[in-house]
Amino acid sequence: MGSLVFKAKDSKLSSRLLQLMSRIKNLDTVSTRGNRQVSVGIGTAEGKQLLKGFDFNANAPLKSVFFANYDLDTATGVTTVTDFIPLEQLMYPQGSTHISLQSAVVHLDFATQESEIALSNLVNLPLNLTMSTSVLTPSSVPLGTGIQMFLLFISFYQEVNGVQYSLKNEEYNVLNVVEVV
């Protein structure tokens, strides 16, 4: 997930993530105090719920930026954004001319430290009033013990002379944990 996180993080991500993992670790009710583990806490419904909705960039939370309807099929990892009108359903930074959408499915086992990520196709759209439907299909659906996280990534660009450039070191980009199973 490093490449996605690098493109959509805030300066306090490490401390916010540490705080969240500490709360999840505290949900481990079988280990003795001092030996509680994130891998046990994340296995609970409450642990998964704590992780669901986590924004890697607190300056650009998904719910404050993206107002389009989307559906996630957790069996296939496919995210479908339906009837999306960028200029009406998006809070975009000044100067941006385009948006990119991408999803990811991450398998993560906190106990064994095994992980795998599958990225979807990247959909690039101009910021205009044209309605479109985008289907983000991951290359695979990583399976195994542990959890599966489904992420949505949104990035903004400015086109100059036919070339798209990321805006202001990507500080407006969104990376959100849409679902955890």
Side-chain angles (χ1 to χ4, degrees):
M1 289 181 16
S3 65
L4 292 177
V5 172
F6 181 74
K7 294 176 184 175
K9 65 178 180 166
D10 62 62
S11 63
K12 298 191 189 266
L13 174 62
S14 295
S15 61
R16 291 187 309 107
L17 200 51
L18 180 62
Q19 183 180 42
L20 175 63
M21 291 298 128
S22 181
R23 289 175 59 202
I24 291 172
K25 172 208 48 122
N26 290 341
L27 296 173
D28 175 355
T29 59
V30 296
S31 304
T32 60
R33 184 174 175 207
N35 293 312
R36 293 178 292 180
Q37 301 171 35
V38 170
S39 61
V40 177
I42 198 70
T44 66
E46 190 177 357
K48 291 174 183 166
Q49 191 63 35
L50 283 174
L51 185 56
K52 180 179 174 178
F54 181 78
D55 286 296
F56 286 83
N57 184 356
N59 299 317
L62 179 66
K63 290 181 179 184
S64 297
V65 173
F66 192 67
F67 308 109
N69 292 322
Y70 63 91
D71 291 309
L72 168 65
D73 182 341
T74 57
T76 62
V78 173
T79 301
T80 305
V81 181
T82 54
D83 300 334
F84 178 46
I85 304 171
L87 282 180
E88 292 181 353
Q89 296 174 307
L90 190 67
M91 290 294 288
Y92 52 90
Q94 184 177 0
S96 56
T97 60
H98 288 76
I99 177 179
S100 286
L101 302 170
Q102 189 173 34
S103 67
V105 181
V106 178
H107 160 257
L108 182 58
D109 188 324
F110 284 94
T112 64
Q113 298 181 5
E114 292 179 16
S115 66
E116 183 180 353
I117 185 169
L119 299 173
S120 77
N121 52 305
L122 187 70
V123 175
N124 185 270
L125 301 168
L127 289 174
N128 60 25
L129 293 170
T130 302
M131 182 185 297
S132 66
T133 295
S134 298
V135 179
L136 308 172
T137 306
S139 56
S140 65
V141 179
L143 301 171
T145 57
I147 62 166
Q148 277 184 317
M149 292 186 296
F150 298 86
L151 307 170
L152 183 60
F153 174 66
I154 302 170
S155 54
F156 296 95
Y157 299 90
Q158 181 179 62
E159 186 173 342
V160 178
N161 297 327
V163 178
Q164 291 185 24
Y165 299 93
S166 294
L167 287 184
K168 278 193 129 185
N169 297 325
E170 300 155 331
E171 71 182 67
Y172 302 106
N173 292 348
V174 175
L175 181 60
N176 178 271
V177 179
V178 175
E179 185 62 77
V180 180
V181 293

